[in-house]
Amino acid sequence: MRAGGGPVRRGSGAVGRLAAAAALAGILAVTPGLSASADDAPGAVDSAGQDQAGIPATTAPAPTPTLGGAGYGTNGGFGGAATFAPVPIDPSLVPDPPVNKDLPEQVDEKGPFEQQVSCDPEDRPGVTAFALLVSEHYDRPTFFGSRPCIDYASFHHDGRALDWPLNVWDHSDVQIADAVILWLTGNDGEMANRFGIEYLIWNGLIWSQERGWQYYTGNPHTDHIHFSFTWDGAEMRTSWWTGVAVTQPDLGPCDVIPWQYAPLHTVPRVDPCPVEDAPAAPSTGIGRVRPGESGAGVSMLQKLLDLPETGVLDGTTRAALLDWQSEHHVPMTGVADDFTYAVALGWDLAPLPDAALGVARKAWQTSEFTPYLRTTLTEGEQGKAVKVLQTAIGAEPDGSFGPRTAKALARWEKSVPVLAEQAQRRGDGPAVVTPLTWLLLERAVHPTMAVRDVQLERGSLDLSADPEGVLAAETDAEGRAGSPYAGGAVRLLQQLLGVDADGSFGPQTEKAVEKLQKSADLEPTGVVDGPTWVALEKVAQQEGRLEEAPGAAAAREARVKAEKVKAEKKAAKEKKAKEAAAEKARERAAAVAGID
C-alpha cells in the first residue's frame, strides 16, 4: 500500500485486495450439493446457559429454543476437553499451507457464537472460496456445502458450512487433514479467524476458538472435515479476502418470533437483538413449507404470484416469494410460513418490530449489483441483469448474454485467478455468472464496498501504527481516548486520500477527510462513514490512486468512438449543408446571368 504516486493495482496491497477480493485464493468452482449424513451444529444454548453436551456456555444465553420453528435441536456437541494429536506429516505428500503476504497485522475479531436461525440453503461466497482454496491447493477437489433445511440446527441450512471429504483411514488424506487443521488452529487460531471459521470437526474431535479441542458427541467425522463459518467469514468480509481485519463482527439475523424462521441475512448487524417479548405469529393452520418442500399452501401462493401451481417451493417460487414478502412487509424468510399465509389470506396484522424484518439496507450499502448478488446468470439469457453485467465488464449493453458478452466476461475472469479457475472447472459449457462472480464484480467496480461498514475518526489506529499499545491508551488534546484498533482500515483510508499512510488517524488525515466531504457535499464532520467511503472511492479512482473498474476502459473507448461517430456525422451534415448552399448560390447566379 502506498500514498501518492501511480494507481494501486489489483493484487497490490489492501486496495488491490479490495478490488480483486478473492484473487489470492487462486481458484474457485461450484460443486454440487450435499446428500451426506447429518452432523455439526454444536453449541446450541438452552435457557439455562448450557449447551447440549452440558458444558457451560461461553456466550450469553440464547432466547428460549423454539423447537419445531427454527430447528434449534442439534446432532452433536462438546463432550469434554481433548487433545489433538496430529499424525507425522510427510512434506513429499503434503505441500506447505497457502500463503497470503498481504495480511494486516491485526487478526479478525470473531464475535459470539451465532446458531442457524434462518432457512437459507444457499452457499455463501466465503465458504465456497475457502473450499476451493484448500481443495485445489491440496489436490482434493470435491466439497459440499448447503443442504435443505430440516428440523435440527446446522450451519449447512443457512449456507455457512462446508464438508471436505478426507478419510482418516487413508494415509495421504489424514496427513492433509491434520496439516490443514494445524495451519488453521495454530497461533491461537489466527488463520481460522482470518477466514472466519467458527469451528471445525474431524475424527471425533471438535475445535473452536473459545473452547479449544473437545471430544465431539455426534457423527465422528472420519470421512470428512466439517467447517462452520461466522457471518463475516461466510460473506468474505474477513482479512484473508479484504486485507482489513474485522473489528465489529456481524451478529447475524435476529430470531425474535417463536416458531418462525428469522429473515434472510444480507446486511451486517452489529447491535444486539431486542430482549422484549416477541409478537406471536398468526395461526393459519396451513403448515410451514421450506425451500424444496411441497404443500397445499404453496399452490395458493403460486397462484397469487402468477406462477405454475406445482405445490413445490422451488427456486423460481422462492425468488418470487421473497420479493412478495418484502413488498408486503412480512419477514423475508423465503419460507411459506404463517405470516406469509396470513397476509395472502387478507388478514390484518399488527406491525412487526424492525428486528423481525431484518437489517434494512442503507443507500451506501447498495449498488447496481445488489439485486443480483444471490442469482445465477447463464449465457443465452436476456434482461436488466445482463445489461448490468455488460456495463461492468465493458461489453455492449444490449441486454442479451451472447457470445460477445461471454468473451468479454472470460477476458475479465482471466484477470482474477479465482474466477479463472471457476471458468476452467465449468469446461466448455455456456458462460455462467455465479453469486461469487457478482460479488467479486461488485468489489472490482466498487472497491470500498467490503469496508464501508467500518467507521473511522480522529484517534483511530491500526495495530501497525501502535504495536506496543501506547497510543491506544493515550488521549488527545481534546481529551479523546484512542479508539480500538481498526484492522488496517486507517492505512487504507490514508492511501485513498493521498496522505501519509502511517496507520494513525491524526489531524492531517482528519483535515483531508473534511476536505473530501466538502467537495462531495457531505457534512464535513471529519468522521469516515459509509457515504464518505463512497465519495472517497470515486475521487481515488478519478485521481489514479485506485485502479478503475473492469469495464471502464471499454466504456471510455465506446464513448470516444461514439463521440467520433457523432462528430463525423456532424461534419458530414455541415459539409452537405455548405454544398447545398453553394449549389443554390450557383443556381441564383446562373438565373441572374440568364436575365441579363
Side-chain angles (χ1 to χ4, degrees):
M1 295 174 62
R2 55 204 167 114
V8 182
R9 304 298 178 187
R10 293 189 183 94
S12 174
V15 178
R17 291 192 299 277
L18 289 173
L24 289 169
I27 38 80
L28 180 74
V30 177
T31 302
L34 177 71
S35 59
S37 60
D39 59 24
D40 85 279
V45 182
D46 64 21
S47 59
Q50 302 284 323
D51 71 16
Q52 296 201 340
I55 308 299
T58 58
T59 59
T64 301
T66 53
L67 297 174
Y72 275 84
T74 64
N75 282 338
F78 296 89
T83 301
F84 177 61
V87 300
I89 309 298
D90 182 351
S92 67
L93 292 176
V94 183
D96 291 334
V99 175
N100 183 340
K101 297 180 179 179
D102 296 315
L103 295 174
E105 289 191 38
Q106 190 170 351
V107 179
D108 304 73
E109 231 177 276
K110 190 178 75 63
F113 179 89
E114 295 295 329
Q115 185 58 278
Q116 174 246 332
V117 294
S118 59
C119 176
D120 191 15
E122 303 284 344
D123 290 344
R124 304 278 171 165
V127 177
T128 308
F130 172 80
L132 268 296
L133 169 64
V134 295
S135 68
E136 187 275 343
H137 186 81
Y138 294 97
D139 195 25
R140 295 295 187 274
T142 303
F143 64 86
F144 305 102
S146 62
R147 303 180 193 168
C149 303
I150 56 177
D151 282 328
Y152 72 86
S154 170
F155 283 34
H156 287 290
H157 301 164
D158 62 13
R160 291 188 293 145
L162 165 71
D163 284 347
W164 185 25
L166 292 168
N167 195 319
V168 73
W169 309 116
D170 182 287
H171 76 287
S172 297
D173 279 8
V174 71
Q175 290 183 55
I176 291 173
D178 286 0
V180 169
I181 289 171
L182 286 172
W183 170 54
L184 294 172
T185 62
N187 194 24
D188 294 325
E190 176 183 342
M191 287 302 167
N193 280 347
R194 290 197 184 280
F195 285 108
I197 294 175
E198 179 75 52
Y199 61 86
L200 59 87
I201 311 171
W202 164 245
N203 197 16
L205 301 178
I206 179 170
W207 175 89
S208 71
Q209 191 79 349
E210 292 82 4
R211 301 167 185 249
W213 285 103
Q214 299 250 320
Y215 291 105
Y216 186 61
T217 63
N219 181 323
H221 292 67
T222 54
D223 60 358
H224 69 280
I225 306 177
H226 171 90
F227 301 93
S228 284
F229 289 75
T230 66
W231 281 102
D232 289 303
E235 295 297 338
M236 261 179 122
R237 288 190 291 261
T238 52
S239 61
W240 182 275
W241 309 113
T242 68
V244 175
V246 171
T247 57
Q248 274 196 303
D250 180 359
L251 302 179
C254 289
D255 178 33
V256 298
I257 302 177
W259 301 91
Q260 300 290 312
Y261 280 107
L264 271 56
H265 190 62
T266 58
V267 180
R269 176 180 67 85
V270 296
D271 297 320
C273 290
V275 296
E276 63 266 16
D277 292 338
S283 180
T284 62
I286 299 176
R288 177 187 61 192
V289 181
R290 293 169 290 204
E293 297 178 342
S294 60
V298 177
S299 296
M300 176 187 72
L301 295 176
Q302 289 171 328
K303 183 176 182 179
L304 183 69
L305 298 168
D306 196 24
L307 296 173
E309 297 177 39
T310 65
V312 179
L313 189 54
D314 55 20
T316 301
T317 303
R318 184 171 184 248
L321 176 61
L322 284 167
D323 289 339
W324 185 91
Q325 288 172 329
S326 175
E327 293 171 3
H328 290 79
H329 305 289
V330 296
M332 289 180 62
T333 59
V335 174
D337 53 24
D338 286 324
F339 279 105
T340 300
Y341 289 135
V343 174
L345 291 169
W347 293 12
D348 290 328
L349 301 177
L352 291 169
D354 292 341
L357 300 176
V359 183
R361 186 180 291 274
K362 299 180 176 64
W364 49 266
Q365 294 172 313
T366 306
S367 76
E368 65 271 33
F369 302 96
T370 300
Y372 314 111
L373 290 175
R374 295 167 57 87
T375 64
T376 298
L377 187 65
T378 306
E379 185 176 354
E381 295 188 45
Q382 298 181 349
K384 187 175 180 180
V386 178
K387 286 189 177 182
V388 172
L389 168 68
Q390 292 168 327
T391 301
I393 61 178
E396 181 183 357
D398 60 5
S400 179
F401 194 166
R404 292 184 180 179
T405 300
K407 185 176 180 180
L409 175 63
R411 185 166 55 246
W412 175 66
E413 287 176 322
K414 288 179 181 178
S415 70
V416 186
V418 67
L419 296 179
E421 179 63 20
Q422 176 177 258
Q424 182 177 341
R425 293 199 179 198
R426 188 169 61 242
D428 296 329
V432 177
V433 180
T434 68
L436 186 69
T437 312
W438 283 119
L439 177 69
L440 297 185
L441 190 55
E442 179 183 54
R443 292 185 183 181
V445 175
H446 303 290
T448 65
M449 185 63 76
V451 295
R452 289 180 185 177
D453 296 293
V454 179
Q455 190 166 13
L456 302 172
E457 60 185 350
R458 185 169 176 177
S460 295
L461 290 167
D462 288 338
L463 184 60
S464 59
D466 186 31
E468 303 300 325
V470 176
L471 296 176
E474 293 180 350
T475 57
D476 61 18
E478 287 79 24
R480 293 178 294 194
S483 301
Y485 293 124
V490 174
R491 198 157 175 255
L492 171 63
L493 167 71
Q494 292 169 326
Q495 275 201 286
L496 298 185
L497 286 169
V499 301
D500 182 25
D502 61 2
S504 178
F505 195 137
Q508 181 187 13
T509 302
E510 184 178 47
K511 185 176 180 180
V513 170
E514 291 174 349
K515 181 179 178 182
L516 169 77
Q517 290 171 328
K518 288 178 181 178
S519 67
D521 292 326
L522 299 172
E523 185 180 356
T525 61
V527 176
V528 179
D529 54 9
T532 304
W533 281 113
V534 175
L536 178 58
E537 175 186 289
K538 183 177 180 180
V539 170
Q541 287 178 327
Q542 290 173 343
E543 297 183 355
R545 286 190 290 276
L546 186 61
E547 189 173 332
E548 61 186 3
R556 188 164 50 251
E557 291 174 4
R559 285 196 300 270
V560 171
K561 183 178 180 180
E563 290 172 0
K564 182 180 179 181
V565 171
K566 183 178 179 180
E568 290 174 348
K569 287 182 177 180
K570 181 179 180 181
K573 184 178 181 180
E574 290 175 349
K575 181 180 179 181
K576 186 176 182 179
K578 288 180 180 179
E579 290 175 347
E583 179 63 26
K584 287 183 179 180
R586 285 193 294 271
E587 291 175 354
R588 286 195 298 270
V592 170
I595 294 174
D596 293 342

